[in-house]
Amino acid sequence: RWSRTCTELDLNFPIDRFYSMAGATVESIFEMLLEEADDTARARQRKLTAKDCEAIKRKHHHDVESEGRVAGPIDVVVEIAKRFHGKLPLAVASSGWRDHVIGGLERNGILHLFDAVVTADEDEVKDPKPAPDIFLEAARRIQVCPTKCVGFEDADLGMEAIRRARYAYAVDVRCFYEYPRNVEERIRVEDEKK
């Protein structure tokens, strides 16, 4: 999705940078990429805005999903949600587009596990991660004081947002043994040993 869009727009966005920007909104990522690309003839000529780029990314996202390539669940996070479903109020706080977040949760059969879903494109979320807005709104919707909440995140910007929201705990799921990129790395290392 990102690679197709950035290739079409002649924007440089390597995978390691993609991971470092995790948690940022699509619009804010494109604002940064366009600022960096100001000197390229293509960006100057087309006078692209972040909103233009976002619309193109939405189209590519739709095309990729139409090809059957959809994001799966992060199993370690799903297991946490299943463990606490019905015992504690649960919310999703995502920088993704609301329709895509809801669609992904439905497609993976886990939307019912959550009492609230908050996304960065909602009016109640004035500032995206690393601002605390999205986590404060999630706590409000599940009617729990932020200082009594535990936040689970897989991005530096999200971890900072949880801290700023003054949650009781911020859990970095990237440290979990079964987090997908950790599994991928172990497989890569094992393959190199062969």
Side-chain angles (χ1 to χ4, degrees):
R1 298 160 187 105
W2 277 103
S3 61
R4 284 188 188 189
T5 306
C6 290
T7 298
E8 177 180 334
L9 299 173
D10 199 22
L11 297 170
N12 184 30
F13 196 39
I15 192 72
D16 58 334
R17 188 135 187 240
F18 166 79
Y19 284 129
S20 74
M21 296 295 299
T25 62
V26 172
E27 184 176 5
S28 64
I29 291 171
F30 278 124
E31 285 170 354
M32 177 202 60
L33 294 175
L34 287 171
E35 185 176 308
E36 294 170 358
D38 269 348
D39 293 338
T40 65
R42 188 173 196 159
R44 251 195 337 268
Q45 181 182 20
R46 293 189 60 192
K47 303 268 192 254
L48 290 170
T49 66
K51 287 285 187 197
D52 297 331
C53 296
E54 193 169 6
I56 293 167
K57 184 179 182 306
R58 274 189 176 274
K59 180 197 172 303
H60 284 296
H61 187 93
H62 174 75
D63 293 347
V64 168
E65 287 194 345
S66 295
E67 295 165 9
R69 295 175 40 213
V70 296
I74 299 174
D75 293 330
V76 294
V77 176
V78 172
E79 289 308 312
I80 293 166
K82 286 179 177 178
R83 180 178 301 156
F84 293 106
H85 173 68
K87 298 173 186 155
L88 296 171
L90 302 173
V92 171
S94 174
S95 294
W97 298 311
R98 183 169 184 78
D99 59 327
H100 291 190
V101 172
I102 295 290
L105 294 169
E106 286 175 337
R107 184 176 55 255
N108 288 292
I110 57 176
L111 177 62
H112 72 281
L113 298 176
F114 301 97
D115 303 292
V117 176
V118 185
T119 56
D121 58 354
E122 297 180 43
D123 292 339
E124 296 86 356
V125 181
K126 301 296 181 214
D127 293 308
K129 299 172 186 177
D133 302 27
I134 198 163
F135 288 104
L136 293 172
E137 180 61 20
R140 187 191 70 74
R141 289 189 192 177
I142 61 172
Q143 300 178 350
V144 177
C145 176
T147 60
K148 304 285 186 202
C149 291
V150 175
F152 294 86
E153 252 298 338
D154 67 349
D156 292 340
L157 294 175
M159 292 297 291
E160 179 62 24
I162 292 170
R163 284 190 281 279
R164 290 182 183 182
R166 298 190 120 102
Y167 273 30
Y169 298 99
V171 180
D172 189 338
V173 299
R174 295 171 296 184
C175 297
F176 290 10
Y177 185 77
E178 289 299 321
Y179 186 71
R181 277 182 261 153
N182 297 337
V183 173
E184 291 166 7
E185 179 63 14
R186 286 195 303 278
I187 291 169
R188 186 190 64 74
V189 169
E190 286 301 314
D191 286 347
E192 286 178 0
K193 289 179 181 178
K194 293 178 182 175

